[in-house]
Amino acid sequence: GLNFIDLMVRQGNIDNPPKTPLVPGFECSGIVEALGDSVKGFEIGDRVMAFVNYNAWAEVVCTPVEFVYKIPDDMSFSEAAAFPMNFVTAYMMLFEVANLREGMSVLVHSAGGGVGQAVAQLCSTIPNVTVFGTASSFKHEAIKNSVTHLFDRNADYVQEVKRISTDGVDIVLDCLCGENTGKGLSLLKPLGTYILYGSSNMVTGETKSFFSFAKSWWQVEKVNPIKLYEENKVIAGFSLLNLLFKQNRGGLIKGVMDKLLNLYNNKKIKPVVDSLWALEEVKEAMQRIHDRGNIGKLILDVEKAPTPLMANDSTETSEAGEEE
């Protein structure tokens, strides 16, 4: 799976970037080829998906057994590679951090991306949840049925949301950071939860730019704890990779994956795959995410041969929903 965090790794916009040379990638799917001596519950030949602490973009991947999950029989490998990061992130933010319940409202940015689509699907499993989404206007036709109210990402969404819901929303999921932080907090109802889960605005042009990243944070309105207390608002952060690889919460994630796979088997959720790319096309695939051209998840397929057409223009090819 190709994620926005991979672009941040490439540009060095993460805390303690690893030393090169490195193999990027944090999630994958495939077939078990070998097992450690004490591994139980898996056999050679099993179809699995896994979290990996780097090194996922490879033909052979090694990861501890606690990060590995069996793929349901009717899930394809490309869907499985699109599943773990997006759905676990979306589920944990909605249900573990923000305590989503019937009748609540949610604002999600980048509604057409992998996490945005996972959020929309999971919200639809709870009765009467209103989802406000922002996305580039060219994506609206493809994703309009997945959210309740859809706004252009460059529009004044604060006024649009308040026009529909005068007292704001219960949950704001913000992957943009920067000036959107103040806007998101202003939209929260009392007892609402604002969650920062990524910083896609940190990824700037083609060059690594620490200064634009710093400027983005500088635009964040300084959060006043007294104001939070007066207004009854919750501000939270969420990093799945830190939870998995630094804070040893693999057992908690396993419980979440069990619930998600149950939802998948009951046909309540389904990963949206934007397009498949050969390893040689990783530059073009990354550019497509950078340009926010994707609807759903981009997948690197080690068995796929490069497509001359795709390599020419990463943003115009592979319309939404193209699968194997």
Side-chain angles (χ1 to χ4, degrees), residues 239-312:
S239 163
L240 176 56
L241 293 175
N242 282 352
L243 208 59
L244 277 168
F245 301 122
K246 289 185 181 172
Q247 294 153 351
N248 303 318
R249 293 298 189 274
L252 173 64
I253 307 295
K254 183 167 189 342
V256 169
M257 276 293 276
D258 289 343
K259 292 173 186 167
L260 287 167
L261 291 172
N262 194 32
L263 287 170
Y264 177 87
N265 288 328
N266 289 319
K267 307 217 170 349
K268 298 279 178 66
I269 58 173
K270 184 178 173 64
V272 179
V273 176
D274 175 81
S275 45
L276 302 178
W277 301 77
L279 285 176
E280 294 87 345
E281 297 169 322
V282 67
K283 175 173 174 275
E284 291 80 9
M286 279 190 147
Q287 191 64 44
R288 183 167 171 81
I289 296 184
H290 187 286
D291 297 339
R292 294 179 166 81
N294 58 303
I295 295 170
K297 192 70 164 258
L298 277 76
I299 302 294
L300 293 178
D301 185 347
V302 295
E303 294 182 345
K304 186 179 182 298
T307 313
L309 174 70
M310 274 188 160
N312 291 339

Side-chain angles (χ1 to χ4, degrees), residues 14-266:
I14 57 167
D15 190 27
N16 297 321
K19 293 187 169 50
T20 53
L22 76 121
V23 176
F26 298 97
E27 66 182 337
C28 61
S29 65
I31 295 169
V32 175
E33 289 201 356
L35 301 168
D37 292 340
S38 56
V39 170
K40 293 183 174 58
F42 292 94
E43 294 178 12
I44 290 172
D46 281 350
R47 300 166 74 248
V48 296
M49 53 187 153
F51 292 107
V52 194
N53 194 10
Y54 292 100
N55 299 307
W57 298 357
E59 291 162 323
V60 179
V61 174
C62 186
T63 193
V65 69
E66 68 171 317
F67 303 133
V68 183
Y69 314 91
K70 286 184 179 171
I71 300 175
D73 291 341
D74 56 350
M75 185 186 276
S76 68
F77 282 118
S78 57
E79 283 182 331
F83 194 80
M85 288 274 287
N86 292 163
F87 275 96
V88 171
T89 296
Y91 187 97
M92 294 200 72
M93 289 194 298
L94 290 171
F95 298 108
E96 302 276 339
V97 182
N99 197 16
L100 177 67
R101 299 184 301 286
E102 181 174 350
M104 280 187 165
S105 54
V106 179
L107 168 66
V108 60
H109 293 299
S110 302
V115 174
Q117 286 292 288
V119 165
Q121 289 185 26
L122 287 168
C123 286
S124 71
T125 67
I126 305 296
N128 304 321
V129 170
T130 304
V131 181
F132 297 92
T134 69
S136 305
S137 53
F138 71 88
K139 298 184 182 183
H140 286 203
E141 187 60 33
I143 66 170
K144 66 182 183 200
N145 295 329
S146 65
V147 298
T148 324
H149 304 286
L150 192 54
F151 312 121
D152 185 87
R153 66 185 291 261
N154 298 313
D156 183 359
Y157 60 85
V158 174
Q159 294 309 315
E160 294 285 340
V161 171
K162 285 190 169 167
R163 190 170 54 78
I164 298 163
S165 174
T166 47
D167 53 349
V169 297
D170 295 293
I171 300 168
V172 175
L173 304 178
D174 181 10
C175 60
L176 299 176
C177 182
E179 61 193 37
N180 289 279
T181 305
K183 291 179 182 177
L185 280 169
S186 74
L187 278 173
L188 273 190
K189 292 179 182 179
L191 302 181
T193 306
Y194 164 95
I195 306 174
L196 178 70
Y197 70 93
S199 303
S200 62
N201 279 354
M202 284 202 239
V203 176
T204 52
E206 266 307 290
T207 56
K208 175 175 114 179
S209 175
F210 185 77
F211 294 104
S212 51
F213 151 54
K215 182 176 160 215
S216 167
W217 272 105
W218 200 244
Q219 288 167 346
V220 176
E221 293 181 23
K222 299 296 176 276
V223 177
N224 181 341
I226 306 287
K227 205 171 167 197
L228 288 177
Y229 144 76
E230 288 173 348
E231 296 179 358
N232 279 302
K233 291 181 178 178
V234 178
I235 185 165
F238 183 77
S239 163
L240 176 56
L241 293 175
N242 282 352
L243 208 59
L244 277 168
F245 301 122
K246 289 185 181 172
Q247 294 153 351
N248 303 318
R249 293 298 189 274
L252 173 64
I253 307 295
K254 183 167 189 342
V256 169
M257 276 293 276
D258 289 343
K259 292 173 186 167
L260 287 167
L261 291 172
N262 194 32
L263 287 170
Y264 177 87
N265 288 328
N266 289 319

